[in-house]
Amino acid sequence: MIVLGLTGSIGMGKSTAARMLQAMGAPVCDSDAVVHGLLGRGGRAVSAIDAAFPGVVIDGAVSRPALGAAVFRDADALKRLEAILHPMVQAAQRDFLARAARRGAKIAVLDIPLLFETHGERRVDATIVVSAPFAVQRARVLARPGMTAEKFAGILARQMPDAEKRQRADYVVPTGAGRLVTRRALQGIVRDVERRPGRHWPPRGYQPGQIHHA
């Protein structure tokens, strides 16, 4: 099974690309959705985040606005949060890949917003970066409810520059020229990677839900 890492900066069209890959038959693990589950009522990360960031848990779930305010422009707080969440997310990703392999998937996709920032490229066979011109990216992001230019700038400051992501990527998919162009680029990638040797899942010694700490 080939494992692809899909990434891209905010507003670059990663979610659209993920849906297109799913439509092509590739199962996709949405890391943002995994985080939502971890932070929701009964989520595995709630108690640890409550201890690390008092006051952000409301009615048994982590308040994302409160948590965002607690780590905004605070590098040390963000590192504490990542130390809690990243191992749990990676465990969920391994479980996803094992299930995909058992179902006989030829390609599986890990949708990881901070793939290069967290060295996630080491855990996949190839990486895909979605990219659009800055003007397109900015317009998309500022159209989101509650988004401001200040918030957008803060998010960009925490993400690797788009130019560096494109340089590191195995494949770059344009998302600013219409969905047809994006879909054709993804179809070409799928055809290409299907000819590659892939990783074996589950790996030796794998146990469902296992968390590996860096």
Side-chain angles (χ1 to χ4, degrees):
M1 182 175 74
I2 299 294
V3 181
L4 297 177
L6 174 66
T7 194
S9 299
I10 183 172
M12 290 298 197
K14 184 169 55 61
S15 296
T16 297
R19 288 192 293 270
M20 289 180 179
L21 287 167
Q22 282 185 312
M24 296 173 199
V28 176
C29 178
D30 182 341
S31 298
D32 278 341
V34 171
V35 171
H36 275 279
L38 293 171
L39 301 182
R41 185 173 298 178
R44 292 178 63 188
V46 172
S47 60
I49 290 178
D50 190 28
F53 303 96
V56 303
V57 174
I58 301 173
D59 294 331
V62 175
S63 166
R64 293 177 71 92
L67 182 60
V71 302
F72 185 64
R73 291 186 174 176
D74 187 334
D76 290 338
L78 184 60
K79 287 180 180 178
R80 292 200 306 274
L81 176 61
E82 290 173 345
I84 295 169
L85 289 178
H86 287 179
M88 294 183 182
V89 172
Q90 290 174 19
Q93 291 167 349
R94 287 191 291 271
D95 289 350
F96 160 82
L97 292 174
R99 291 193 301 271
R102 286 196 297 269
R103 292 196 297 267
K106 293 181 179 180
I107 296 173
V109 181
L110 298 181
D111 177 344
I112 307 176
L114 299 178
L115 185 142
F116 292 116
E117 293 87 341
T118 59
H119 306 293
E121 73 275 15
R122 300 171 183 172
R123 299 183 284 114
V124 301
D125 295 303
T127 57
I128 301 173
V129 166
V130 292
S131 181
F134 178 73
V136 174
Q137 177 193 25
R138 187 177 189 278
R140 289 171 175 170
V141 175
L142 293 183
R144 297 181 180 184
M147 183 57 67
T148 65
E150 182 184 15
K151 288 182 181 179
F152 178 39
I155 293 169
L156 287 182
R158 295 194 298 270
Q159 295 184 341
M160 182 180 293
D162 177 59
E164 186 174 350
K165 289 181 180 178
R166 286 188 276 111
Q167 187 174 27
R168 293 191 182 199
D170 294 296
Y171 301 96
V172 177
V173 174
T175 65
R179 295 195 177 198
L180 181 59
V181 173
T182 300
R183 185 178 294 108
R184 285 176 175 170
L186 290 170
Q187 289 170 336
I189 292 169
V190 168
R191 288 193 297 269
D192 186 49
V193 301
E194 284 180 338
R195 297 191 289 265
R196 295 185 177 203
R199 301 187 176 208
H200 298 286
W201 285 91
R204 182 176 298 177
Y206 166 84
Q207 295 180 3
Q210 186 176 23
I211 295 178
H212 293 176
H213 294 274

